[in-house]
Amino acid sequence: MEQVQFMRNLIIETPSVPGNFAKVALAIGQLDGDIGDIQTIKVGTLSTIRDISIQCSSEAQLLQIVEAVNQIGDGISVQAITDDVLQAHEGGKIHMKGRMEIRSLGDLRRVYTPGVANVCELIKNDPEQAKYFTGISNTVAIVTDGTAILGLGNIGPVAGMPVMEGKAVLFDQFAGISGIPILLNTSDPDEVVETIKHIQQGFGGILLEDIGSPHCFEIEERLKAELSIPVMHDDQHGTAVVTLASVISACQQTNVLLSDAVVGQIGLGAAGLAISRMLMNYGVKEMRGIDRNEVARQRLADHGGTVIDSLEELMATCDIIVATTGVAGLIKPEMVRKGQIILALSNPNAEITPEDALAAGAAFAADGRLVNNILGFPGIFRGALNAHAKEITYPMLIAAALAIVDSTKPGDLVPHPLDPNVHLNVAAAVERVANNL
Protein backbone atom coordinates (compact mmCIF):
# COMPACT_ATOMS: atom_id res chain seq x y z
CA MET A 1 0.00 0.00 0.00
CA GLU A 2 1.67 3.16 -1.20
CA GLN A 3 1.42 6.28 0.93
CA VAL A 4 3.05 9.69 0.80
CA GLN A 5 6.58 10.11 2.16
CA PHE A 6 8.64 13.23 2.87
CA MET A 7 11.82 13.40 0.77
CA ARG A 8 14.73 15.82 0.94
CA ASN A 9 18.44 15.82 0.16
CA LEU A 10 21.02 16.66 2.82
CA ILE A 11 24.40 18.08 1.83
CA ILE A 12 26.69 16.71 4.56
CA GLU A 13 30.37 17.46 5.09
CA THR A 14 32.54 14.98 6.99
CA PRO A 15 36.28 15.03 7.72
CA SER A 16 38.11 12.64 5.38
CA VAL A 17 38.63 10.03 8.06
CA PRO A 18 37.41 6.42 7.73
CA GLY A 19 34.27 5.70 9.73
CA ASN A 20 32.75 9.19 9.66
CA PHE A 21 30.09 8.36 7.09
CA ALA A 22 29.12 5.33 9.17
CA LYS A 23 28.40 7.71 12.06
CA VAL A 24 26.15 9.77 9.80
CA ALA A 25 24.29 6.68 8.55
CA LEU A 26 23.81 5.48 12.13
CA ALA A 27 22.39 8.84 13.25
CA ILE A 28 19.93 8.82 10.34
CA GLY A 29 18.92 5.21 10.88
CA GLN A 30 18.35 5.61 14.62
CA LEU A 31 15.66 8.19 13.81
CA ASP A 32 14.03 5.88 11.21
CA GLY A 33 15.28 7.88 8.24
CA ASP A 34 15.57 5.89 5.02
CA ILE A 35 18.74 6.64 3.05
CA GLY A 36 18.30 6.58 -0.73
CA ASP A 37 20.84 7.78 -3.28
CA ILE A 38 24.28 8.91 -2.11
CA GLN A 39 26.35 11.14 -4.39
CA THR A 40 29.87 12.27 -3.52
CA ILE A 41 30.14 15.92 -4.53
CA LYS A 42 33.68 16.62 -3.40
CA VAL A 43 36.59 14.64 -2.02
CA GLY A 44 39.16 16.96 -0.51
CA THR A 45 42.32 16.53 1.50
CA LEU A 46 40.57 17.47 4.73
CA SER A 47 36.87 16.83 4.11
CA THR A 48 34.30 15.01 1.93
CA ILE A 49 30.93 16.44 0.89
CA ARG A 50 28.07 14.11 0.01
CA ASP A 51 24.54 14.66 -1.29
CA ILE A 52 22.34 12.15 0.59
CA SER A 53 18.69 11.48 -0.26
CA ILE A 54 16.52 10.95 2.82
CA GLN A 55 12.96 9.60 3.08
CA CYS A 56 11.01 10.13 6.27
CA SER A 57 7.45 10.61 7.43
CA SER A 58 7.42 14.37 8.06
CA GLU A 59 9.40 17.59 8.04
CA ALA A 60 9.62 17.38 11.83
CA GLN A 61 11.37 14.03 11.56
CA LEU A 62 13.78 15.45 8.98
CA LEU A 63 14.70 18.33 11.28
CA GLN A 64 15.38 15.82 14.06
CA ILE A 65 17.72 13.97 11.72
CA VAL A 66 19.53 17.19 10.80
CA GLU A 67 19.98 18.03 14.48
CA ALA A 68 21.24 14.54 15.26
CA VAL A 69 23.84 14.69 12.46
CA ASN A 70 25.04 18.09 13.61
CA GLN A 71 25.40 16.79 17.16
CA ILE A 72 27.73 13.95 16.15
CA GLY A 73 30.69 16.28 16.45
CA ASP A 74 34.11 15.47 15.00
CA GLY A 75 33.61 18.18 12.35
CA ILE A 76 30.52 16.51 10.82
CA SER A 77 27.82 18.96 9.74
CA VAL A 78 24.80 19.43 7.49
CA GLN A 79 25.67 22.19 5.03
CA ALA A 80 22.27 22.47 3.30
CA ILE A 81 18.85 20.92 2.80
CA THR A 82 17.79 20.74 -0.84
CA ASP A 83 14.55 19.69 -2.51
CA ASP A 84 15.42 17.62 -5.58
CA VAL A 85 11.83 16.35 -5.75
CA LEU A 86 10.36 19.76 -6.54
CA GLN A 87 13.17 20.49 -8.99
CA ALA A 88 12.44 17.24 -10.83
CA HIS A 89 8.81 18.28 -11.32
CA GLU A 90 9.42 21.81 -12.58
CA GLY A 91 7.63 22.23 -15.90
CA GLY A 92 6.12 18.76 -15.58
CA LYS A 93 7.72 15.39 -16.30
CA ILE A 94 6.19 14.64 -19.70
CA HIS A 95 5.54 16.29 -23.05
CA MET A 96 4.19 15.21 -26.42
CA LYS A 97 6.91 14.59 -28.98
CA GLY A 98 6.68 13.56 -32.62
CA ARG A 99 8.37 10.39 -33.84
CA MET A 100 9.28 11.97 -37.19
CA GLU A 101 11.26 15.08 -38.01
CA ILE A 102 10.05 17.53 -40.65
CA ARG A 103 13.16 18.62 -42.57
CA SER A 104 11.87 18.99 -46.11
CA LEU A 105 8.75 19.79 -48.08
CA GLY A 106 8.56 16.10 -48.94
CA ASP A 107 8.50 15.20 -45.23
CA LEU A 108 5.69 17.71 -44.69
CA ARG A 109 3.64 16.28 -47.52
CA ARG A 110 4.04 12.72 -46.24
CA VAL A 111 3.30 13.49 -42.60
CA TYR A 112 0.59 16.10 -43.12
CA THR A 113 -1.20 17.35 -46.21
CA PRO A 114 -1.72 16.08 -48.85
CA GLY A 115 -0.35 12.62 -48.06
CA VAL A 116 -2.21 12.17 -44.79
CA ALA A 117 -5.53 12.19 -46.64
CA ASN A 118 -4.69 8.79 -48.13
CA VAL A 119 -4.26 7.34 -44.66
CA CYS A 120 -7.52 8.90 -43.47
CA GLU A 121 -9.37 7.31 -46.39
CA LEU A 122 -7.76 3.95 -45.65
CA ILE A 123 -8.93 4.06 -42.01
CA LYS A 124 -12.38 5.30 -43.05
CA ASN A 125 -12.81 2.23 -45.27
CA ASP A 126 -11.25 -0.16 -42.73
CA PRO A 127 -11.21 1.19 -39.14
CA GLU A 128 -8.99 -1.70 -38.01
CA GLN A 129 -6.13 -0.07 -39.94
CA ALA A 130 -5.96 2.60 -37.20
CA LYS A 131 -4.10 0.00 -35.13
CA TYR A 132 -1.25 0.12 -37.62
CA PHE A 133 -1.27 3.66 -38.99
CA THR A 134 -1.88 5.69 -35.81
CA GLY A 135 -0.50 5.67 -32.28
CA ILE A 136 -3.86 4.65 -30.78
CA SER A 137 -2.85 1.04 -30.16
CA ASN A 138 0.21 2.18 -28.19
CA THR A 139 -1.51 4.82 -26.06
CA VAL A 140 -3.09 4.37 -22.64
CA ALA A 141 -5.30 6.91 -20.86
CA ILE A 142 -4.30 7.36 -17.21
CA VAL A 143 -7.60 8.43 -15.65
CA THR A 144 -8.12 9.84 -12.16
CA ASP A 145 -10.70 11.80 -10.23
CA GLY A 146 -8.17 12.60 -7.50
CA THR A 147 -10.09 10.94 -4.67
CA ALA A 148 -7.37 8.56 -3.45
CA ILE A 149 -3.98 10.08 -4.27
CA LEU A 150 -1.25 8.04 -2.55
CA GLY A 151 -1.65 8.51 1.20
CA LEU A 152 -3.01 12.05 0.76
CA GLY A 153 -6.62 11.04 0.16
CA ASN A 154 -9.13 13.16 -1.75
CA ILE A 155 -6.97 16.10 -2.84
CA GLY A 156 -8.47 16.47 -6.30
CA PRO A 157 -7.29 15.55 -9.80
CA VAL A 158 -5.07 18.60 -10.45
CA ALA A 159 -3.09 18.01 -7.24
CA GLY A 160 -2.80 14.39 -8.34
CA MET A 161 -1.35 15.30 -11.75
CA PRO A 162 2.29 14.74 -10.65
CA VAL A 163 1.35 11.12 -9.89
CA MET A 164 -0.30 10.70 -13.30
CA GLU A 165 2.75 12.19 -15.00
CA GLY A 166 4.90 9.77 -13.04
CA LYS A 167 2.83 6.86 -14.32
CA ALA A 168 3.26 8.17 -17.87
CA VAL A 169 7.04 8.30 -17.43
CA LEU A 170 7.07 4.71 -16.15
CA PHE A 171 4.89 3.54 -19.05
CA ASP A 172 7.34 5.13 -21.48
CA GLN A 173 10.56 3.96 -19.85
CA PHE A 174 9.60 0.39 -18.99
CA ALA A 175 7.14 -0.50 -21.75
CA GLY A 176 7.46 2.05 -24.56
CA ILE A 177 3.82 3.07 -24.10
CA SER A 178 2.48 6.62 -24.44
CA GLY A 179 0.55 7.38 -21.24
CA ILE A 180 -1.82 10.36 -21.39
CA PRO A 181 -3.15 11.76 -18.06
CA ILE A 182 -6.89 12.44 -18.03
CA LEU A 183 -8.11 14.53 -15.07
CA LEU A 184 -11.82 14.29 -14.28
CA ASN A 185 -13.64 16.88 -12.19
CA THR A 186 -16.36 14.39 -11.28
CA SER A 187 -16.55 11.22 -9.20
CA ASP A 188 -20.09 10.32 -10.19
CA PRO A 189 -19.88 6.82 -11.70
CA ASP A 190 -22.35 7.65 -14.46
CA GLU A 191 -20.41 10.76 -15.50
CA VAL A 192 -17.01 9.05 -15.25
CA VAL A 193 -18.14 6.08 -17.34
CA GLU A 194 -19.82 8.25 -19.97
CA THR A 195 -16.79 10.55 -20.25
CA ILE A 196 -14.40 7.66 -20.77
CA LYS A 197 -16.76 6.04 -23.26
CA HIS A 198 -16.77 9.26 -25.29
CA ILE A 199 -12.96 9.53 -25.45
CA GLN A 200 -11.96 5.86 -25.55
CA GLN A 201 -11.57 5.72 -29.34
CA GLY A 202 -8.25 7.56 -29.04
CA PHE A 203 -6.70 4.98 -26.70
CA GLY A 204 -5.60 1.36 -26.77
CA GLY A 205 -6.28 0.93 -23.06
CA ILE A 206 -7.54 2.63 -19.89
CA LEU A 207 -5.60 2.70 -16.62
CA LEU A 208 -7.77 3.88 -13.73
CA GLU A 209 -5.56 5.47 -11.09
CA ASP A 210 -6.11 6.73 -7.55
CA ILE A 211 -9.91 6.51 -7.73
CA GLY A 212 -11.35 5.94 -4.27
CA SER A 213 -13.54 3.20 -2.86
CA PRO A 214 -16.38 2.34 -3.23
CA HIS A 215 -17.10 4.10 -6.54
CA CYS A 216 -13.95 2.63 -8.10
CA PHE A 217 -15.58 -0.81 -8.14
CA GLU A 218 -18.63 0.27 -10.11
CA ILE A 219 -16.61 2.40 -12.53
CA GLU A 220 -14.20 -0.39 -13.42
CA GLU A 221 -16.88 -3.08 -13.69
CA ARG A 222 -19.01 -0.96 -16.00
CA LEU A 223 -16.11 0.09 -18.21
CA LYS A 224 -14.90 -3.49 -18.57
CA ALA A 225 -18.41 -4.53 -19.59
CA GLU A 226 -19.01 -1.66 -22.01
CA LEU A 227 -15.61 -1.10 -23.67
CA SER A 228 -13.71 -3.37 -26.06
CA ILE A 229 -10.24 -2.26 -24.93
CA PRO A 230 -8.25 -3.27 -21.83
CA VAL A 231 -9.32 -1.53 -18.59
CA MET A 232 -7.52 -1.94 -15.26
CA HIS A 233 -7.71 -0.14 -11.93
CA ASP A 234 -4.08 -0.16 -10.80
CA ASP A 235 -4.84 0.31 -7.11
CA GLN A 236 -6.84 -2.90 -7.27
CA HIS A 237 -5.29 -5.27 -9.76
CA GLY A 238 -1.81 -3.82 -10.11
CA THR A 239 -1.41 -4.10 -6.34
CA ALA A 240 -2.98 -7.57 -6.34
CA VAL A 241 -0.60 -8.89 -9.01
CA VAL A 242 2.53 -7.82 -7.15
CA THR A 243 1.07 -9.06 -3.84
CA LEU A 244 0.30 -12.48 -5.35
CA ALA A 245 3.88 -12.65 -6.61
CA SER A 246 5.12 -11.73 -3.13
CA VAL A 247 2.96 -14.38 -1.45
CA ILE A 248 4.12 -17.06 -3.90
CA SER A 249 7.75 -16.06 -3.35
CA ALA A 250 7.33 -16.13 0.44
CA CYS A 251 5.70 -19.58 0.24
CA GLN A 252 8.58 -20.89 -1.86
CA GLN A 253 11.08 -19.65 0.72
CA THR A 254 9.20 -21.28 3.62
CA ASN A 255 8.06 -24.49 1.85
CA VAL A 256 4.38 -23.60 2.30
CA LEU A 257 1.86 -24.91 -0.25
CA LEU A 258 -0.28 -21.87 -1.04
CA SER A 259 -3.22 -23.87 -2.40
CA ASP A 260 -3.61 -25.60 0.97
CA ALA A 261 -2.97 -22.53 3.14
CA VAL A 262 -5.60 -20.47 4.92
CA VAL A 263 -5.03 -16.83 3.94
CA GLY A 264 -6.24 -13.84 5.94
CA GLN A 265 -6.69 -10.36 4.46
CA ILE A 266 -6.78 -7.46 6.91
CA GLY A 267 -8.49 -4.49 5.26
CA LEU A 268 -11.00 -4.96 2.43
CA GLY A 269 -10.78 -1.66 0.57
CA ALA A 270 -9.91 -1.46 -3.13
CA ALA A 271 -6.52 -3.15 -2.70
CA GLY A 272 -7.57 -5.65 -0.04
CA LEU A 273 -10.59 -6.96 -1.92
CA ALA A 274 -8.59 -7.20 -5.17
CA ILE A 275 -5.83 -9.14 -3.40
CA SER A 276 -8.42 -11.53 -1.96
CA ARG A 277 -10.01 -12.12 -5.35
CA MET A 278 -6.62 -12.58 -7.01
CA LEU A 279 -5.56 -15.19 -4.46
CA MET A 280 -8.85 -17.07 -4.83
CA ASN A 281 -8.52 -17.02 -8.62
CA TYR A 282 -5.00 -18.37 -8.25
CA GLY A 283 -6.31 -21.32 -6.27
CA VAL A 284 -6.43 -20.42 -2.57
CA LYS A 285 -9.25 -22.56 -1.14
CA GLU A 286 -9.86 -20.70 2.12
CA MET A 287 -9.72 -16.89 1.97
CA ARG A 288 -10.69 -15.01 5.11
CA GLY A 289 -10.97 -11.27 5.64
CA ILE A 290 -11.83 -8.54 8.10
CA ASP A 291 -12.85 -4.91 7.80
CA ARG A 292 -14.84 -2.47 9.91
CA ASN A 293 -16.95 -1.47 6.90
CA GLU A 294 -19.97 -3.73 6.45
CA VAL A 295 -20.22 -3.02 2.71
CA ALA A 296 -16.60 -4.09 2.27
CA ARG A 297 -17.23 -7.23 4.30
CA GLN A 298 -20.20 -8.09 2.13
CA ARG A 299 -18.14 -7.68 -1.04
CA LEU A 300 -15.72 -10.34 0.16
CA ALA A 301 -18.60 -12.66 0.99
CA ASP A 302 -20.16 -12.05 -2.42
CA HIS A 303 -16.91 -13.13 -4.09
CA GLY A 304 -16.61 -16.35 -2.10
CA GLY A 305 -14.48 -15.29 0.85
CA THR A 306 -15.20 -15.81 4.54
CA VAL A 307 -15.76 -12.78 6.78
CA ILE A 308 -14.12 -12.96 10.22
CA ASP A 309 -15.43 -10.93 13.13
CA SER A 310 -12.24 -10.15 15.04
CA LEU A 311 -8.59 -9.49 14.26
CA GLU A 312 -7.54 -11.92 16.98
CA GLU A 313 -9.55 -14.73 15.39
CA LEU A 314 -8.13 -13.98 11.94
CA MET A 315 -4.56 -14.01 13.22
CA ALA A 316 -5.15 -17.24 15.16
CA THR A 317 -6.66 -19.18 12.25
CA CYS A 318 -4.66 -18.13 9.17
CA ASP A 319 -1.35 -19.43 7.85
CA ILE A 320 -0.67 -16.35 5.69
CA ILE A 321 -1.58 -12.77 6.62
CA VAL A 322 -1.78 -9.82 4.20
CA ALA A 323 -2.54 -6.38 5.67
CA THR A 324 -3.44 -3.22 3.73
CA THR A 325 -5.16 -1.06 6.34
CA GLY A 326 -2.78 1.91 6.61
CA VAL A 327 -2.90 1.52 10.41
CA ALA A 328 0.62 1.35 11.86
CA GLY A 329 1.10 -1.16 14.67
CA LEU A 330 -2.32 -2.76 14.19
CA ILE A 331 -0.90 -6.29 14.49
CA LYS A 332 0.52 -6.88 17.97
CA PRO A 333 3.43 -9.30 18.42
CA GLU A 334 1.35 -11.48 20.72
CA MET A 335 -1.12 -12.05 17.85
CA VAL A 336 1.52 -13.66 15.65
CA ARG A 337 1.26 -17.42 15.33
CA LYS A 338 4.45 -19.42 15.05
CA GLY A 339 5.28 -20.27 11.45
CA GLN A 340 3.01 -17.63 9.88
CA ILE A 341 3.84 -15.68 6.74
CA ILE A 342 3.05 -12.00 7.31
CA LEU A 343 3.02 -9.32 4.62
CA ALA A 344 2.15 -6.02 6.31
CA LEU A 345 2.03 -3.79 3.24
CA SER A 346 1.06 -0.32 4.47
CA ASN A 347 3.69 2.38 3.83
CA PRO A 348 5.50 4.16 5.31
CA ASN A 349 4.57 2.41 8.58
CA ALA A 350 3.50 -1.22 8.48
CA GLU A 351 0.84 -2.93 10.60
CA ILE A 352 3.79 -4.77 12.19
CA THR A 353 7.46 -4.45 11.38
CA PRO A 354 9.18 -7.49 9.85
CA GLU A 355 11.60 -7.50 12.77
CA ASP A 356 8.81 -7.68 15.35
CA ALA A 357 6.90 -10.32 13.38
CA LEU A 358 9.96 -12.56 13.04
CA ALA A 359 10.85 -12.10 16.70
CA ALA A 360 7.31 -13.18 17.59
CA GLY A 361 7.68 -16.43 15.63
CA ALA A 362 6.70 -15.68 12.04
CA ALA A 363 8.43 -17.89 9.46
CA PHE A 364 8.56 -15.01 6.97
CA ALA A 365 7.71 -11.32 7.24
CA ALA A 366 7.95 -8.32 4.94
CA ASP A 367 6.54 -4.82 4.68
CA GLY A 368 5.34 -2.79 1.70
CA ARG A 369 8.60 -1.17 0.68
CA LEU A 370 9.27 -3.79 -1.99
CA VAL A 371 5.70 -4.51 -3.08
CA ASN A 372 5.53 -1.86 -5.76
CA ASN A 373 2.93 -1.62 -8.54
CA ILE A 374 5.72 -0.58 -10.92
CA LEU A 375 6.53 -4.28 -11.26
CA GLY A 376 3.13 -4.95 -12.80
CA PHE A 377 1.24 -2.33 -14.77
CA PRO A 378 3.77 -1.40 -17.51
CA GLY A 379 4.30 -5.00 -18.59
CA ILE A 380 0.64 -5.94 -18.20
CA PHE A 381 -0.47 -3.21 -20.62
CA ARG A 382 2.47 -3.86 -22.98
CA GLY A 383 1.42 -7.49 -23.27
CA ALA A 384 -2.27 -6.64 -23.65
CA LEU A 385 -1.59 -4.03 -26.34
CA ASN A 386 0.77 -6.34 -28.23
CA ALA A 387 -1.94 -8.99 -28.34
CA HIS A 388 -4.67 -6.48 -29.29
CA ALA A 389 -6.58 -7.81 -26.28
CA LYS A 390 -10.06 -6.49 -25.66
CA GLU A 391 -9.83 -6.98 -21.89
CA ILE A 392 -7.45 -7.83 -19.07
CA THR A 393 -8.43 -11.16 -17.52
CA TYR A 394 -7.43 -13.02 -14.38
CA PRO A 395 -5.36 -15.56 -16.37
CA MET A 396 -3.40 -12.61 -17.80
CA LEU A 397 -2.91 -11.09 -14.34
CA ILE A 398 -1.85 -14.40 -12.82
CA ALA A 399 0.62 -14.88 -15.69
CA ALA A 400 2.05 -11.45 -14.83
CA ALA A 401 2.46 -12.46 -11.18
CA LEU A 402 4.21 -15.71 -12.11
CA ALA A 403 6.53 -13.81 -14.46
CA ILE A 404 7.48 -11.54 -11.55
CA VAL A 405 8.22 -14.62 -9.41
CA ASP A 406 10.32 -16.17 -12.18
CA SER A 407 12.28 -12.89 -12.46
CA THR A 408 13.07 -12.82 -8.73
CA LYS A 409 16.60 -13.61 -7.59
CA PRO A 410 17.04 -16.26 -4.85
CA GLY A 411 16.52 -14.75 -1.42
CA ASP A 412 14.59 -11.72 -2.68
CA LEU A 413 10.84 -11.26 -2.27
CA VAL A 414 10.36 -9.64 -5.69
CA PRO A 415 12.70 -8.19 -8.36
CA HIS A 416 14.11 -4.69 -8.22
CA PRO A 417 11.54 -2.39 -9.90
CA LEU A 418 14.21 -0.86 -12.14
CA ASP A 419 15.23 -4.24 -13.57
CA PRO A 420 14.19 -3.98 -17.24
CA ASN A 421 14.02 -7.77 -17.59
CA VAL A 422 11.05 -8.11 -15.26
CA HIS A 423 8.94 -5.77 -17.40
CA LEU A 424 9.90 -7.64 -20.57
CA ASN A 425 9.05 -10.95 -18.90
CA VAL A 426 5.69 -9.70 -17.63
CA ALA A 427 4.78 -8.35 -21.07
CA ALA A 428 5.72 -11.60 -22.80
CA ALA A 429 3.77 -13.71 -20.30
CA VAL A 430 0.64 -11.56 -20.58
CA GLU A 431 0.84 -11.52 -24.37
CA ARG A 432 1.10 -15.32 -24.53
CA VAL A 433 -1.98 -15.81 -22.39
CA ALA A 434 -3.95 -13.11 -24.22
CA ASN A 435 -3.21 -14.72 -27.60
CA ASN A 436 -4.47 -18.07 -26.31
CA LEU A 437 -7.78 -16.76 -24.95
Side-chain angles (χ1 to χ4, degrees), residues 238-318:
T239 300
V241 163
V242 184
T243 302
L244 173 58
S246 302
V247 171
I248 294 172
S249 180
C251 286
Q252 290 178 347
Q253 295 184 38
T254 54
N255 296 316
V256 171
L257 189 61
L258 180 54
S259 59
D260 292 339
V262 179
V263 182
Q265 171 65 44
I266 304 174
L268 296 171
L273 180 65
I275 291 168
S276 301
R277 294 178 64 184
M278 186 72 69
L279 288 165
M280 288 187 284
N281 273 275
Y282 179 70
V284 170
K285 298 182 180 68
E286 182 60 33
M287 187 75 216
R288 301 179 180 179
I290 185 171
D291 197 287
R292 292 180 297 180
N293 186 293
E294 183 57 39
V295 175
R297 291 157 59 92
Q298 187 59 49
R299 283 197 189 93
L300 178 65
D302 291 343
H303 289 289
T306 301
V307 176
I308 302 300
D309 292 326
S310 73
L311 179 60
E312 289 76 11
E313 180 184 356
L314 187 83
M315 292 294 299
T317 60
C318 294

Side-chain angles (χ1 to χ4, degrees), residues 186-431:
T186 177
S187 296
D188 178 81
D190 291 334
E191 294 182 344
V192 172
V193 170
E194 284 303 307
T195 299
I196 294 175
K197 285 172 64 176
H198 284 306
I199 67 171
Q200 59 92 20
Q201 291 186 95
F203 301 97
I206 306 293
L207 178 69
L208 302 175
E209 182 68 27
D210 290 345
I211 297 177
S213 174
H215 62 290
C216 64
F217 299 115
E218 179 183 348
I219 289 169
E220 186 195 36
E221 289 169 4
R222 288 174 59 181
L223 287 172
K224 291 177 73 171
E226 298 178 37
L227 300 186
S228 58
I229 58 175
V231 176
M232 188 180 84
H233 184 203
D234 194 40
D235 300 299
Q236 291 186 62
H237 307 299
T239 300
V241 163
V242 184
T243 302
L244 173 58
S246 302
V247 171
I248 294 172
S249 180
C251 286
Q252 290 178 347
Q253 295 184 38
T254 54
N255 296 316
V256 171
L257 189 61
L258 180 54
S259 59
D260 292 339
V262 179
V263 182
Q265 171 65 44
I266 304 174
L268 296 171
L273 180 65
I275 291 168
S276 301
R277 294 178 64 184
M278 186 72 69
L279 288 165
M280 288 187 284
N281 273 275
Y282 179 70
V284 170
K285 298 182 180 68
E286 182 60 33
M287 187 75 216
R288 301 179 180 179
I290 185 171
D291 197 287
R292 292 180 297 180
N293 186 293
E294 183 57 39
V295 175
R297 291 157 59 92
Q298 187 59 49
R299 283 197 189 93
L300 178 65
D302 291 343
H303 289 289
T306 301
V307 176
I308 302 300
D309 292 326
S310 73
L311 179 60
E312 289 76 11
E313 180 184 356
L314 187 83
M315 292 294 299
T317 60
C318 294
D319 305 306
I320 300 170
I321 299 294
V322 181
T324 56
T325 64
V327 180
L330 179 66
I331 300 174
K332 307 303 179 186
E334 56 268 24
M335 297 179 182
V336 176
R337 204 179 78 195
K338 187 175 181 180
Q340 275 181 324
I341 293 172
I342 298 180
L343 300 180
L345 302 183
S346 293
N347 277 329
N349 300 308
E351 287 82 0
I352 185 171
T353 67
E355 295 78 12
D356 287 346
L358 292 170
F364 185 95
D367 56 24
R369 287 176 291 182
L370 295 177
V371 183
N372 196 315
N373 290 16
I374 297 173
L375 290 166
F377 74 86
I380 292 170
F381 270 91
R382 180 71 278 160
L385 294 176
N386 286 352
H388 302 299
K390 296 184 181 299
E391 61 180 337
I392 294 175
T393 65
Y394 272 109
M396 293 162 68
L397 295 173
I398 290 171
L402 294 175
I404 293 172
V405 174
D406 290 342
S407 303
T408 303
K409 295 178 181 178
D412 290 343
L413 182 65
V414 290
H416 192 286
L418 300 184
D419 180 358
N421 290 321
V422 65
H423 305 288
L424 294 173
N425 294 340
V426 169
V430 170
E431 184 177 358

Side-chain angles (χ1 to χ4, degrees), residues 93-111:
K93 302 187 291 295
I94 59 175
H95 74 280
M96 183 71 74
K97 183 177 180 180
R99 295 178 60 239
M100 297 183 63
E101 293 186 0
I102 310 299
R103 293 187 173 183
S104 69
L105 188 58
D107 292 338
L108 179 61
R109 288 174 172 173
R110 280 189 293 272
V111 171

